[in-house]
């Protein structure tokens, strides 16, 4: 497998070519949101310049073109995650909305007092709070798969956590705070052996690795476009067709119906049943373009390059005194969370910014992870395929600068 042509790739991302505080921008906050290539920016701009109209509604030419482009994007998402049918792809605002949809539409009708929802200790708040809300609404209980000090799931008691009362297991494919890639395929097989459906939060997986929902055999797979080089406000939910067919719509409104009278409303077929109101048409088209772009680069090449960056960064940061990496799992993707002795992560982030290096500091919307490690926050560098080895060095220099200033 050949190496990536990083000069050509970086030329596709106009935002990367700027200075911040007089220094070349080094963007290492990709887990929060990624940058967008010209292909995506142009797809959105072309749509508004040439085709803009509402979808599924007009017989006129622009509406037909908008509909074709929107539905073509759905087909690209289907191919990207290898779903069987376009009917299994629902456009949503992002991972958060998709998890709320599954919680309310799929799980809520099944729940009685004392039933259980299984998540893990390393979830993003988006995969905790919707389930807690559901527990409050129904009297169900939240169960949590524990974690080890390396930031891996502790699966020693996993079998006993999967009970006849477990109505869903919802876990992250990749942890946003630690970078851990969870052994989801085995976990899904075990859950299915007990007839427990599984939702995977793939927000931090899809930008970095090939995902095959049929191979994983997950029941739902959710992700956000903005972390995979597409615009904000668009994401996708994969659901197995048979499950989606049986689910009631989440939101009501235009486009999700076949007919409406005051006596009776007949819902639309999949996937439209779950897309009430005018959708984020340009967002979906942008997501389709982002998928085209990733496919052009090659998802396997992306994974290999990012692995090389992460290995180099981990080695170099580990070699420094007074720095502790949070999250040292065997199998990791993209994320390097760290603490510098005696310095609050927010100060680390500010000093990095002065050097043009963008990282995220805070709890990363994963407060239980912070509580587990007994820390308020971490500094987090997260890589995308347009990052370079020189930028890994900028990260290391940034840490040294912080240490100098706080010596
Ligand atoms: N994590 C981060 O900096 P939304 O906000 O719906 O696009 O994505 C939510 C979400 C869900 N699951 C995981 C694993 C995530 O990482 C995120 C978003 C960002 O880590 C912003 S908090």
């Amino acid at each position: 497998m050949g190496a990536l042509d990083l000069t050509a790739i970086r030329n596709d991302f106009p935002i990367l070519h700027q200075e911040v505080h007089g220094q070349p921008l080094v963007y290492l906050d990709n887990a929060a949101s990624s940058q967008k290539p010209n292909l995506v920016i142009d797809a959105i701009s072309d749509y508004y310049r040439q085709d803009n109209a509402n979808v599924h509604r007009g017989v006129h030419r622009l509406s037909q073109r908008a509909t074709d482009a929107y539905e073509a994007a759905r087909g690209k998402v289907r191919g990207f995650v290898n779903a069987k049918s376009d009917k299994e792809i629902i456009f949503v605002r992002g991972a958060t909305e998709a998890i709320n949809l599954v919680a309310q539409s799929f799980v809520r009708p099944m729940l009685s007092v004392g039933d259980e929802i299984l998540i893990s200790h390393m979830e993003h708040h988006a995969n905790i709070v919707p389930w807690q809300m559901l527990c409050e609404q129904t009297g169900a209980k939240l169960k949590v798969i524990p974690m080890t000090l390396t930031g891996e799931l502790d699966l020693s008691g996993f079998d006993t956590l999967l009970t006849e009362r477990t109505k869903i297991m919802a876990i992250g494919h990749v942890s946003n705070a630690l970078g851990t890639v969870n052994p989801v395929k085995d976990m899904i097989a075990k859950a299915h052996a007990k007839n427990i459906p599984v939702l995977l939060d793939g927000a931090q997986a899809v930008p970095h690795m090939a995902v095959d929902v049929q191979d994983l055999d997950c029941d739902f797979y959710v992700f956000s476009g903005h972390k995979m080089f597409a615009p904000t406000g668009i994401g996708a939910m994969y659901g197995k067709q048979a499950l989606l067919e049986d689910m009631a719509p989440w939101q009501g409104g235009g486009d999700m119906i076949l007919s409406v009278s005051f006596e009776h409303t007949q819902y639309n077929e999949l996937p439209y049943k779950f897309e009430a109101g005018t959708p984020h048409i340009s967002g979906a088209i942008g997501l389709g373009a982002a998928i085209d772009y990733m496919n052009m680069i090659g998802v396997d090449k992306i994974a290999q390059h990012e692995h090389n960056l992460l290995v180099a960064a981990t080695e170099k940061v580990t070699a420094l005194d007074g720095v502790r990496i949070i999250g040292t799992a065997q199998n990791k993707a993209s994320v390097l969370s760290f603490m510098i002795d005696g310095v609050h992560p927010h100060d680390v982030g500010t000093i990095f910014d002065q050097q043009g290096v963008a990282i995220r500091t805070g709890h990363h919307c994963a407060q239980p992870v912070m509580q587990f490690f007994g820390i308020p926050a971490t500094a987090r560098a997260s890589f995308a395929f347009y990052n370079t080895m020189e930028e890994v060095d900028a990260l290391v220099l940034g840490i040294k600068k912080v240490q100098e200033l706080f010596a």
Side-chain angles (χ1 to χ4, degrees):
M1 192 173 7
L4 298 184
D5 182 349
L6 285 179
T7 308
I9 287 174
R10 290 178 70 83
N11 280 337
D12 290 336
F13 288 81
I15 203 170
L16 296 178
H17 306 278
Q18 62 176 289
E19 293 195 340
V20 169
H21 300 301
Q23 308 279 346
L25 169 67
V26 174
Y27 189 77
L28 299 179
D29 194 18
N30 295 287
S33 205
S34 62
Q35 301 304 347
K36 322 302 172 200
N38 282 322
L39 195 76
V40 169
I41 298 167
D42 291 347
I44 297 165
S45 154
D46 288 351
Y47 164 72
Y48 281 120
R49 284 172 197 281
Q50 292 161 24
D51 302 325
N52 177 51
N54 214 327
V55 291
H56 307 143
R57 286 158 172 85
V59 292
H60 62 80
R61 180 57 68 90
L62 291 193
S63 175
Q64 285 171 8
R65 287 212 301 257
T67 302
D68 288 349
Y70 181 72
E71 291 305 327
R74 194 189 308 278
K76 291 176 189 182
V77 175
R78 179 195 50 69
F80 186 64
V81 297
N82 194 32
K84 274 192 199 140
S85 156
D86 285 10
K87 293 182 179 184
E88 298 180 314
I89 303 298
I90 315 294
F91 282 123
V92 288
R93 277 197 298 132
T96 303
E97 184 174 57
I99 295 169
N100 280 277
L101 191 166
V102 175
Q104 292 300 325
S105 201
F106 177 66
V107 185
R108 187 173 182 165
M110 300 195 279
L111 288 181
S112 313
V113 175
D115 280 343
E116 295 167 5
I117 292 164
L118 184 60
I119 62 170
S120 91
H121 203 116
M122 66 175 77
E123 299 311 318
H124 184 280
H125 297 166
N127 200 27
I128 301 174
V129 184
W131 306 115
Q132 276 175 331
M133 290 164 66
L134 198 54
C135 289
E136 278 167 21
Q137 289 156 355
T138 61
K141 287 188 284 194
L142 196 64
K143 295 279 181 147
V144 181
I145 303 166
M147 200 167 73
T148 67
L149 283 169
T150 55
E152 287 161 307
L153 292 180
D154 176 356
L155 294 173
S156 53
F158 185 50
D159 285 343
T160 51
L161 282 168
L162 298 169
T163 75
E164 67 285 351
R165 304 233 47 182
T166 312
K167 291 294 182 272
I168 191 157
M169 176 170 82
I171 49 168
H173 195 170
V174 175
S175 155
N176 71 316
L178 303 166
T180 313
V181 182
N182 286 318
V184 289
K185 194 171 170 184
D186 286 354
M187 294 172 76
I188 291 168
K190 286 196 169 145
H192 282 176
K194 295 189 178 175
N195 291 320
I196 298 166
V198 180
L199 174 144
L200 290 186
D201 171 1
Q204 298 291 349
V206 285
H208 309 295
M209 60 186 68
V211 169
D212 181 334
V213 291
Q214 293 190 62
D215 180 55
L216 290 169
D217 197 27
C218 54
D219 299 281
F220 298 95
Y221 196 97
V222 308
F223 59 93
S224 302
H226 68 98
K227 296 181 197 291
M228 51 169 289
F229 322 104
T232 50
I234 189 75
M237 178 185 99
Y238 157 80
K240 282 184 179 162
Q241 187 171 343
L243 301 180
L244 294 175
E245 298 279 10
D246 282 349
M247 283 160 60
W250 185 43
Q251 295 178 328
D255 217 26
M256 51 75 72
I257 53 88
L258 287 177
S259 69
V260 177
S261 71
F262 287 120
E263 289 71 40
H264 179 67
T265 289
Q266 198 186 350
Y267 302 133
N268 207 339
E269 58 191 30
L270 290 175
Y272 314 111
K273 185 170 83 172
F274 292 104
E275 294 180 3
T278 301
H280 187 2
I281 304 163
S282 65
I285 291 167
L287 177 57
I291 289 171
D292 287 343
Y293 189 80
M294 286 182 73
N295 286 337
M296 231 161 60
I297 305 289
V299 179
D300 290 342
K301 278 190 183 175
I302 288 173
Q304 185 59 54
H305 175 67
E306 291 180 0
H307 176 75
N308 295 346
L309 294 175
L310 187 64
V311 167
T314 305
E315 275 172 11
K316 290 181 184 197
V317 172
T318 307
L320 300 172
D321 285 333
V323 187
R324 177 179 161 211
I325 294 177
I326 308 293
T328 49
Q330 283 292 316
N331 195 2
K332 282 183 64 174
S334 174
V335 167
L336 192 82
S337 258
F338 60 93
M339 307 282 292
I340 302 181
D341 289 354
V343 191
H344 193 282
H346 289 302
D347 293 330
V348 175
T350 307
I351 295 165
F352 267 66
D353 179 55
Q354 291 300 318
Q355 294 166 87
V357 182
I359 57 168
R360 182 170 173 190
T361 60
H363 53 59
H364 315 298
C365 302
Q367 281 186 310
V369 172
M370 303 299 129
Q371 288 151 13
F372 176 80
F373 286 101
I375 51 181
T378 73
R380 182 188 71 179
S382 52
F383 301 103
F385 59 83
Y386 42 66
N387 289 125
T388 63
M389 283 294 173
E390 289 73 35
E391 292 181 316
V392 169
D393 291 338
L395 168 70
V396 176
L397 278 176
I399 295 175
K400 288 182 176 162
K401 180 84 180 170
V402 173
Q403 289 178 321
E404 253 171 59
L405 289 171
F406 277 79

